């Protein structure tokens, strides 16, 4: 079964198509009335016989004709003004949009990018530690009492408990694949040779959408050029979570929905390091090596996309000029409605009116609307560029409206 809920334009006609079943076409209804102009492979819609708003229901292989998509009259488009958050397309996916993946130590969500070396302790904090607190943690292993410590995994030889969280038992850690507990000059540690990792099941408490600090004591082996995960709770290839890894090669990297931060840490095989990363409530990212801040990225709220804002000004200009029924206005309206659909999906998810998808499907659904809006915007720009040297009076008029919309100050 397939329903085309957005109308297909056929001149002045608006067609809503739906099909159900499998096999040859056996029945067709248009606006609830049986339609006779079809054969086993095609439906014919002569222009003068087709209603201006037509719901076309197609049954295959004897399937029943059911209620199809609505052919409601088109309503006026309410275009938000320039500067409105509506035009901040990347903001459709807020920082709070996380995932239900386990937290892994030494591998990504696909079990790839595995760490090779020793890890003797991993800490997760629900706050952004100060520079002084990170330095103290690196030197003495102690964190302030109000640091929001969520998990503090150490690796020992206790039978049945290879990893113990000093912060409680809320996040049990289990070992997967080829792993071992070894004695080192710094005490016992988890030894990984690239064939195993550790993980704790998903917990909403570990999604950390706002402020957090990640810390680990590591002794890397040979580091691959593409990087190796230290702490990972993010769908591979996305930013819907967080990760701390070595990438590229022996650099240090942090990825969150607020962005990416990296520094040339020059981590050497066989050397112990205390590495840490934080994000504060304002979205500022920081990386630390051996207690010293190595990099910082101050987060700045995203500005509205000026190229998308121009769509709104252009559409309003076309309507004021009485050109809202032309191709250019239809194309522009479709791009704006794609943006609106992206925002509406986020609103419905937040209200519980839409069932959330698992990652990475959730990100793909968001990105589908975003990519569609941008492609429609780029396509419109190409068309308008072709109008620049046109001798057609209508094209020249529309290009003037476009040029004015693009150069207008918000």
């Amino acid at each position: 079964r397939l329903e085309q809920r957005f109308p297909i334009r056929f001149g002045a006609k608006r067609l809503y198509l739906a099909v159900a079943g499998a096999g040859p076409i056996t029945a067709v209804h248009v606006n609830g009335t049986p339609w006779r102009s079809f054969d086993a492979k095609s439906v014919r819609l002569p222009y003068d016989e087709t209603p201006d708003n037509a719901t076309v229901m197609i049954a295959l292989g004897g399937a029943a004709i059911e209620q199809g998509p609505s052919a409601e009259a088109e309503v006026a488009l309410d275009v938000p003004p320039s500067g409105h958050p509506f035009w901040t397309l990347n903001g459709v996916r807020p920082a709070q949009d996380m995932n239900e993946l386990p937290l892994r130590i030494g591998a990504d969500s696909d079990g790839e990018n595995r760490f090779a070396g020793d890890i003797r302790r991993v800490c997760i904090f629900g706050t952004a530690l100060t520079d002084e607190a990170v330095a103290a943690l690196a030197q003495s292993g102690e964190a302030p009492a109000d640091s929001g410590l969520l998990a503090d995994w150490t690796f020992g030889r206790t039978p049945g408990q290879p990893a113990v969280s000093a912060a409680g038992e809320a996040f049990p850690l289990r070992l997967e694949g080829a792993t071992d507990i070894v004695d080192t000059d710094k005490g016992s540690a988890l030894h990984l040779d690239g064939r195993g990792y550790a993980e704790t099941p998903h917990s909403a408490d570990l999604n950390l959408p706002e402020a957090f600090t990640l810390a680990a004591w590591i002794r890397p082996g040979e580091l691959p050029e593409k990087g190796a995960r230290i702490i990972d709770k993010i769908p591979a290839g996305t930013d819907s979570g967080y990760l701390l890894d070595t990438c590229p090669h022996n650099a240090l990297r942090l990825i969150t929905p607020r962005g990416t931060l990296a520094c040339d840490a020059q981590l050497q095989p066989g050397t112990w390091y205390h590495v840490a990363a934080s994000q504060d409530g304002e979205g500022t990212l920081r990386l630390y090596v051996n207690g010293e801040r190595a990099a910082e990225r101050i987060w700045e709220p995203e500005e509205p996309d000026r190229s998308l804002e121009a769509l709104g000004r252009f559409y309003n200009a076309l309507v004021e000029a009485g050109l809202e029924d032309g191709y250019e206005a239809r194309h522009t309206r479709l791009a704006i409605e794609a943006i609106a659909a992206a925002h509406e999906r986020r609103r419905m998810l937040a209200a519980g009116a839409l069932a959330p998808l698992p990652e990475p499907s959730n990100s793909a659904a968001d990105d589908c609307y975003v990519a569609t809006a941008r492609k429609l915007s780029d396509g419109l720009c190409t068309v308008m560029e072709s109008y620049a040297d046109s001798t057609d009076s209508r094209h020249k008029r529309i290009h003037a409206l476009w040029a004015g919309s693009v150069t207008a100050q918000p």
Side-chain angles (χ1 to χ4, degrees):
R1 180 180 180 89
L2 175 68
E3 290 187 5
Q4 177 76 25
R5 293 184 174 274
F6 197 86
I8 296 174
R9 307 290 178 177
F10 180 36
K13 315 290 185 179
R14 300 166 72 241
L15 310 180
Y16 296 82
L17 305 184
V19 60
I25 299 173
T26 51
V28 177
H29 283 195
V30 174
N31 289 351
T33 302
W35 189 262
R36 304 301 178 191
S37 189
F38 71 92
D39 56 33
K41 294 184 178 180
S42 61
V43 177
R44 291 174 293 278
L45 298 169
Y47 193 81
D48 356 348
E49 300 175 24
T50 303
D52 289 345
N53 290 295
T55 295
V56 182
M57 294 293 300
I58 303 171
L60 307 179
I65 292 287
E66 301 177 14
Q67 177 63 40
S70 172
E72 298 174 354
E74 189 169 85
V75 299
L77 183 63
D78 184 14
V79 180
S82 297
H84 192 280
F86 177 86
W87 305 110
T88 309
L89 243 186
N90 289 343
V92 166
R93 291 178 56 204
Q96 288 78 5
D97 182 16
M98 288 288 182
N99 59 72
E100 296 184 0
L101 295 170
L103 181 145
R104 284 182 172 170
I105 296 171
D108 67 18
S109 61
D110 293 333
E112 304 296 331
N113 293 300
R114 296 191 179 185
F115 183 86
D118 300 323
I119 302 176
R120 68 180 181 87
R121 186 180 174 191
V122 174
C123 296
I124 308 289
F125 299 86
T127 63
L129 298 185
T130 63
D131 288 357
E132 294 75 17
V134 173
L137 183 65
Q139 294 166 11
S140 68
E142 299 296 328
D146 58 350
S147 60
L149 183 62
L150 296 174
D152 183 1
W153 292 292
T154 56
F155 302 90
R157 295 183 177 278
T158 305
Q161 286 188 309
V164 177
S165 174
E169 300 179 357
F171 311 113
L173 203 64
R174 67 173 181 266
L175 306 184
E176 300 287 345
T179 62
D180 195 11
I181 304 298
V182 298
D183 292 324
T184 75
D185 57 330
K186 301 292 185 180
S188 60
L190 172 66
H191 179 72
L192 301 173
D193 64 3
R195 295 179 298 160
Y197 56 87
E199 75 171 26
T200 188
H202 164 70
S203 168
D205 291 336
L206 292 177
N207 267 348
L208 310 178
E210 300 297 336
F212 63 81
T213 302
L214 315 175
W217 286 256
I218 65 171
R219 182 168 64 178
E222 290 296 331
L223 295 169
E225 185 63 32
K226 293 184 178 180
R229 298 292 202 265
I230 301 171
I231 302 171
D232 183 287
K233 196 177 191 305
I234 193 170
T238 78
D239 62 2
S240 297
Y242 54 86
L243 71 80
L244 175 63
D245 72 351
T246 64
C247 185
H249 191 44
N250 59 0
L252 196 63
R253 181 178 66 165
L254 170 67
I255 295 179
T256 84
R258 297 295 194 185
T260 299
L261 177 64
C263 70
D264 185 14
Q266 298 186 20
L267 303 175
Q268 299 301 311
T271 301
W272 280 106
Y273 295 94
H274 177 267
V275 295
S278 69
Q279 173 183 289
D280 65 21
E282 300 299 322
T284 295
L285 308 181
R286 296 183 178 91
L287 284 170
Y288 300 85
V289 179
N290 291 332
E292 296 186 2
R293 188 195 297 181
E296 178 182 66
R297 175 179 175 178
I298 298 176
W299 183 75
E300 296 180 0
E302 184 187 8
E303 292 293 327
D305 189 318
R306 302 306 180 195
S307 65
L308 296 181
E309 286 185 332
L311 295 177
R313 294 192 290 269
F314 182 51
Y315 182 80
N316 286 336
L318 290 171
V319 172
E320 290 174 6
L323 298 170
E324 65 269 26
D325 290 328
Y327 156 74
E328 299 81 7
R330 297 292 185 182
H331 187 138
T332 308
R333 179 179 179 126
L334 185 57
I336 295 171
E337 287 176 336
I339 300 172
H343 287 291
E344 176 65 6
R345 180 175 185 275
R346 298 309 314 173
R347 186 198 67 77
M348 292 176 68
L349 281 171
L354 191 64
L357 297 170
E359 291 294 350
S361 299
N362 188 58
S363 297
D366 285 330
D367 292 342
C368 176
Y369 292 106
V370 171
T372 297
R374 293 201 182 281
K375 287 178 181 178
L376 287 167
S377 176
D378 292 345
L380 183 65
C381 289
T382 300
V383 173
M384 291 300 103
E385 288 172 3
S386 73
Y387 285 8
D389 300 320
S390 175
T391 57
D392 183 285
S393 59
R394 181 180 179 278
H395 287 180
K396 291 173 71 69
R397 181 187 181 194
I398 290 175
H399 184 268
L401 296 175
W402 169 256
S405 300
V406 169
T407 58
Q409 295 298 316

